[in-house]
Amino acid sequence: MPRSHRRVLTHPDLVELDLLDLLHALADPTRMTIVRTLRSDVERPCGTFPVDVAPSTLTHHFRVLREAGVIRQRDEGNRRWTTLRLDDLNARFPGLLDSVLETYERQLAEA
């Protein structure tokens, strides 16, 4: 889609980050895969995440994560790049994301 036709991406400010929105965003396995991937890779183009969902579904998952303040996205040319807002999340909820990720990893290992 040409850049002029893309929606403007909105990202909540640090003080707007809400714990329940964050937990809701992290309660989905596809979104956790996105977060886990970004914990390892600093930034990725949207089409390169190891998930098996339709592009429209992936767009939905990115929107939920972005609106909860978990990720930041930016457009560069015809690509949309995604990063984890780790510093912001740790400033607002110290250690929460790491705790959620550790618990998730442990559950995956036990399954």
Short mmCIF file of all heavy atoms in Angstrom, two decimals, residues 1-3 6 45-47 74-81:
data_model
loop_
_atom_site.label_atom_id
_atom_site.label_comp_id
_atom_site.label_asym_id
_atom_site.label_seq_id
_atom_site.Cartn_x
_atom_site.Cartn_y
_atom_site.Cartn_z
N MET A 1 0.85 -1.17 0.00
CA MET A 1 0.00 0.00 0.00
C MET A 1 0.90 1.24 0.00
O MET A 1 1.83 1.31 0.79
CB MET A 1 -0.89 -0.03 1.25
CG MET A 1 -1.80 1.16 1.38
SD MET A 1 -2.91 1.06 2.80
CE MET A 1 -4.01 -0.22 2.30
N PRO A 2 0.62 2.19 -0.86
CA PRO A 2 1.45 3.40 -0.86
C PRO A 2 1.43 4.07 0.51
O PRO A 2 0.43 4.07 1.21
CB PRO A 2 0.78 4.29 -1.91
CG PRO A 2 -0.03 3.36 -2.75
CD PRO A 2 -0.41 2.22 -1.87
N ARG A 3 2.55 4.66 0.84
CA ARG A 3 2.69 5.28 2.16
C ARG A 3 1.59 6.31 2.42
O ARG A 3 1.10 6.42 3.53
CB ARG A 3 4.06 5.94 2.25
CG ARG A 3 4.34 6.52 3.60
CD ARG A 3 5.75 7.08 3.64
NE ARG A 3 6.01 7.69 4.89
CZ ARG A 3 6.59 7.11 5.91
NH1 ARG A 3 6.99 5.88 5.81
NH2 ARG A 3 6.79 7.75 7.04
N ARG A 6 -1.55 4.71 4.01
CA ARG A 6 -1.47 4.00 5.28
C ARG A 6 -2.02 4.84 6.40
O ARG A 6 -1.89 6.05 6.41
CB ARG A 6 -0.02 3.63 5.61
CG ARG A 6 0.48 2.47 4.81
CD ARG A 6 1.81 2.04 5.35
NE ARG A 6 2.18 0.78 4.75
CZ ARG A 6 3.26 0.13 5.05
NH1 ARG A 6 4.09 0.60 5.95
NH2 ARG A 6 3.54 -1.01 4.47
N PRO A 45 10.90 -6.54 10.33
CA PRO A 45 9.80 -6.16 9.46
C PRO A 45 8.59 -7.06 9.74
O PRO A 45 8.75 -8.23 10.11
CB PRO A 45 10.34 -6.38 8.05
CG PRO A 45 11.67 -7.01 8.18
CD PRO A 45 12.04 -7.09 9.61
N CYS A 46 7.42 -6.53 9.58
CA CYS A 46 6.20 -7.22 10.00
C CYS A 46 6.00 -8.59 9.37
O CYS A 46 5.50 -9.50 10.02
CB CYS A 46 4.98 -6.34 9.72
SG CYS A 46 4.90 -4.95 10.85
N GLY A 47 6.37 -8.80 8.13
CA GLY A 47 6.12 -10.07 7.48
C GLY A 47 7.10 -11.17 7.82
O GLY A 47 7.05 -12.25 7.22
N ARG A 74 7.00 1.49 12.98
CA ARG A 74 7.33 2.64 12.14
C ARG A 74 7.38 2.17 10.69
O ARG A 74 7.71 1.02 10.41
CB ARG A 74 8.65 3.27 12.55
CG ARG A 74 9.85 2.37 12.31
CD ARG A 74 11.16 3.05 12.67
NE ARG A 74 12.27 2.13 12.44
CZ ARG A 74 12.88 1.95 11.27
NH1 ARG A 74 12.49 2.63 10.21
NH2 ARG A 74 13.88 1.10 11.15
N ASP A 75 7.00 3.07 9.81
CA ASP A 75 7.05 2.79 8.39
C ASP A 75 8.34 3.32 7.81
O ASP A 75 8.78 4.42 8.15
CB ASP A 75 5.86 3.44 7.67
CG ASP A 75 4.53 2.82 8.06
OD1 ASP A 75 4.51 1.62 8.38
OD2 ASP A 75 3.51 3.53 8.05
N GLU A 76 8.93 2.50 6.96
CA GLU A 76 10.13 2.91 6.22
C GLU A 76 9.98 2.38 4.81
O GLU A 76 10.06 1.16 4.59
CB GLU A 76 11.39 2.35 6.88
CG GLU A 76 12.67 2.83 6.21
CD GLU A 76 13.90 2.32 6.94
OE1 GLU A 76 14.11 2.73 8.09
OE2 GLU A 76 14.62 1.51 6.34
N GLY A 77 9.75 3.27 3.88
CA GLY A 77 9.48 2.82 2.52
C GLY A 77 8.20 2.01 2.50
O GLY A 77 7.18 2.44 3.03
N ASN A 78 8.26 0.84 1.91
CA ASN A 78 7.07 -0.01 1.87
C ASN A 78 7.05 -1.07 2.97
O ASN A 78 6.26 -2.00 2.92
CB ASN A 78 6.92 -0.67 0.49
CG ASN A 78 8.06 -1.62 0.18
OD1 ASN A 78 9.05 -1.69 0.92
ND2 ASN A 78 7.93 -2.35 -0.90
N ARG A 79 7.90 -0.92 3.95
CA ARG A 79 7.97 -1.88 5.06
C ARG A 79 7.54 -1.22 6.36
O ARG A 79 7.78 -0.04 6.58
CB ARG A 79 9.39 -2.42 5.24
CG ARG A 79 9.82 -3.27 4.05
CD ARG A 79 10.91 -4.15 4.46
NE ARG A 79 10.42 -5.51 4.26
CZ ARG A 79 11.17 -6.57 4.34
NH1 ARG A 79 12.42 -6.46 4.66
NH2 ARG A 79 10.68 -7.76 4.14
N ARG A 80 6.95 -2.04 7.21
CA ARG A 80 6.61 -1.60 8.56
C ARG A 80 7.49 -2.38 9.52
O ARG A 80 7.49 -3.61 9.53
CB ARG A 80 5.13 -1.85 8.84
CG ARG A 80 4.74 -1.41 10.24
CD ARG A 80 3.26 -1.28 10.39
NE ARG A 80 2.84 -0.06 9.71
CZ ARG A 80 1.58 0.26 9.46
NH1 ARG A 80 0.61 -0.54 9.83
NH2 ARG A 80 1.27 1.39 8.85
N TRP A 81 8.24 -1.66 10.33
CA TRP A 81 9.17 -2.25 11.27
C TRP A 81 8.57 -2.23 12.67
O TRP A 81 7.89 -1.28 13.06
CB TRP A 81 10.49 -1.49 11.26
CG TRP A 81 11.21 -1.65 9.96
CD1 TRP A 81 11.00 -0.94 8.81
CD2 TRP A 81 12.22 -2.60 9.66
NE1 TRP A 81 11.83 -1.39 7.83
CE2 TRP A 81 12.60 -2.41 8.32
CE3 TRP A 81 12.86 -3.59 10.40
CZ2 TRP A 81 13.58 -3.17 7.70
CZ3 TRP A 81 13.84 -4.35 9.79
CH2 TRP A 81 14.19 -4.14 8.47
#
